[in-house]
Amino acid sequence: MSKRIQAKYKIDRRMGENIWGRAKSPVNRRDYGPGQHGQRRKGKLSDFGIQLRAKQKLKGYYGNITEKQFRRYYDEAVRRKGDTGENLVGILECRLDALVYRAKFVPTVFGARQFVSHGHVLVNGKRCNIPSRLLKAGDVVEVREKARAIPMVIEASQSPEREYPEYVSVEGFKATYVRVPTLDEVPYPVIMEPNLVVEFYSR
């Protein structure tokens, strides 16, 4: 299991955007980068810099995905038929921790990874502790009985911050992954540009 080695909100501040759309994000108060040089005037980004930022933003949104793992998703997206950028987003959205987050079982992407790793989730009736597991259409994900009283789960389910996307059907503590979404169906709080990610890797 990969471990987060930096403060998650540094990603927000480095990008200058509230990429998870959370009210707690420090970008809402300090819209400059972290560190002692964060308030320096920013230079104009090169094409490479713009592509790199798009890749960092999309990868950072899904939590602790390593560069190696993210590159593997890109290679799989290239292999599949259709638009590579759309394919990449579809692969990221069918991760188990992404669905746990979309179903509002937990308040954050990082919490989703931890929640799954601790064995609080059933996939098609069987316990699964692998956050990166890729789901298929029709798979049912359920919060285990003893985990439903965890304060984090109760808080997330009652949160007005997020809505359920159309490709996830939720009934109580049970969610069904209906289908692979298109880019415009994924409720990103900020604009994601997977086409720039494709350009970054295809250099």
Side-chain angles (χ1 to χ4, degrees):
M1 173 181 165
S2 63
K3 182 180 180 183
R4 187 173 74 247
I5 56 173
Q6 62 177 351
K8 61 185 176 185
Y9 284 128
K10 275 190 179 179
I11 301 172
D12 270 8
R13 294 188 62 201
R14 192 166 66 237
M15 298 297 154
E17 296 180 82
N18 184 356
I19 67 172
W20 295 290
R22 300 216 71 205
K24 293 179 180 179
S25 175
V27 171
N28 299 334
R29 300 186 303 276
R30 302 189 297 271
D31 61 352
Y32 48 86
Q36 67 184 80
H37 304 299
Q39 295 185 62
R40 284 186 176 179
R41 189 175 64 176
K42 295 175 182 175
K44 186 178 179 181
L45 285 174
S46 64
D47 287 345
F48 172 80
I50 292 169
Q51 294 163 3
L52 176 62
R53 177 159 291 201
K55 189 266 292 186
Q56 288 174 324
K57 185 163 68 171
L58 185 62
K59 183 163 78 77
Y61 178 85
Y62 288 94
N64 301 322
I65 298 178
T66 63
E67 177 59 31
K68 183 178 179 181
Q69 195 172 29
F70 193 74
R71 178 61 197 245
R72 199 160 61 238
Y73 291 149
Y74 168 76
D75 291 339
E76 173 61 21
V78 170
R79 193 185 64 79
R80 295 183 182 184
K81 292 181 180 178
D83 182 85
T84 301
E86 291 265 356
N87 290 344
L88 177 60
V89 169
I91 292 169
L92 291 167
E93 281 295 309
C94 74
R95 282 173 56 101
L96 177 55
D97 55 357
L99 183 123
V100 167
Y101 175 63
R102 294 291 181 219
K104 292 173 66 173
F105 294 154
V106 292
T108 68
V109 174
F110 299 96
R113 186 182 185 90
Q114 184 183 48
F115 192 70
V116 174
S117 296
H118 288 182
H120 295 315
V121 167
L122 301 175
V123 178
N124 298 329
K126 295 181 179 179
R127 185 177 177 183
C128 180
N129 62 356
I130 304 169
S132 61
R133 172 172 174 172
L134 299 182
L135 301 172
K136 296 176 182 176
D139 281 350
V140 177
V141 177
E142 186 177 1
V143 178
R144 295 181 71 195
E145 192 75 40
K146 66 178 183 180
R148 297 178 183 182
I150 295 175
M152 175 177 71
V153 177
I154 297 170
E155 175 203 341
S157 63
Q158 297 172 350
S159 171
E161 275 187 6
R162 296 180 287 124
E163 300 293 331
Y164 300 123
E166 291 184 6
Y167 52 92
V168 178
S169 173
V170 182
E171 291 182 19
F173 292 100
K174 186 180 291 187
T176 303
Y177 182 62
V178 179
R179 56 181 166 76
V180 178
T182 57
L183 176 60
D184 58 350
E185 289 179 311
V186 181
Y188 292 123
V190 296
I191 296 172
M192 293 293 182
E193 299 167 296
N195 58 310
L196 293 179
V197 180
V198 174
E199 289 176 17
F200 174 83
Y201 281 122
S202 58
R203 280 177 297 112

